mmCIF file of all heavy atoms in Angstrom:
data_model
loop_
_atom_site.group_PDB
_atom_site.id
_atom_site.type_symbol
_atom_site.label_atom_id
_atom_site.label_comp_id
_atom_site.label_asym_id
_atom_site.label_seq_id
_atom_site.Cartn_x
_atom_site.Cartn_y
_atom_site.Cartn_z
ATOM 1 N N ALA A 140 46.449 68.979 -56.002
ATOM 2 C CA ALA A 140 46.533 70.336 -55.509
ATOM 3 C C ALA A 140 47.731 71.093 -56.173
ATOM 4 O O ALA A 140 47.601 72.288 -56.463
ATOM 5 C CB ALA A 140 46.761 70.362 -54.011
ATOM 6 N N HIS A 184 60.731 11.568 -49.958
ATOM 7 C CA HIS A 184 59.964 12.284 -48.930
ATOM 8 C C HIS A 184 60.624 13.626 -48.591
ATOM 9 O O HIS A 184 59.998 14.666 -48.469
ATOM 10 C CB HIS A 184 59.813 11.434 -47.668
ATOM 11 C CG HIS A 184 59.269 12.160 -46.502
ATOM 12 N ND1 HIS A 184 57.944 12.517 -46.436
ATOM 13 C CD2 HIS A 184 59.868 12.626 -45.391
ATOM 14 C CE1 HIS A 184 57.730 13.120 -45.306
ATOM 15 N NE2 HIS A 184 58.861 13.209 -44.615
ATOM 16 N N ARG A 194 58.084 26.626 -50.935
ATOM 17 C CA ARG A 194 56.906 27.371 -51.443
ATOM 18 C C ARG A 194 56.300 28.186 -50.322
ATOM 19 O O ARG A 194 56.043 29.381 -50.492
ATOM 20 C CB ARG A 194 55.899 26.368 -51.993
ATOM 21 C CG ARG A 194 54.620 27.069 -52.414
ATOM 22 C CD ARG A 194 53.459 26.161 -52.586
ATOM 23 N NE ARG A 194 53.093 25.565 -51.331
ATOM 24 C CZ ARG A 194 52.232 24.568 -51.210
ATOM 25 N NH1 ARG A 194 51.612 24.026 -52.254
ATOM 26 N NH2 ARG A 194 51.903 24.046 -50.016
#
Side-chain angles (χ1 to χ4, degrees):
H184 172 72
R194 176 195 65 188

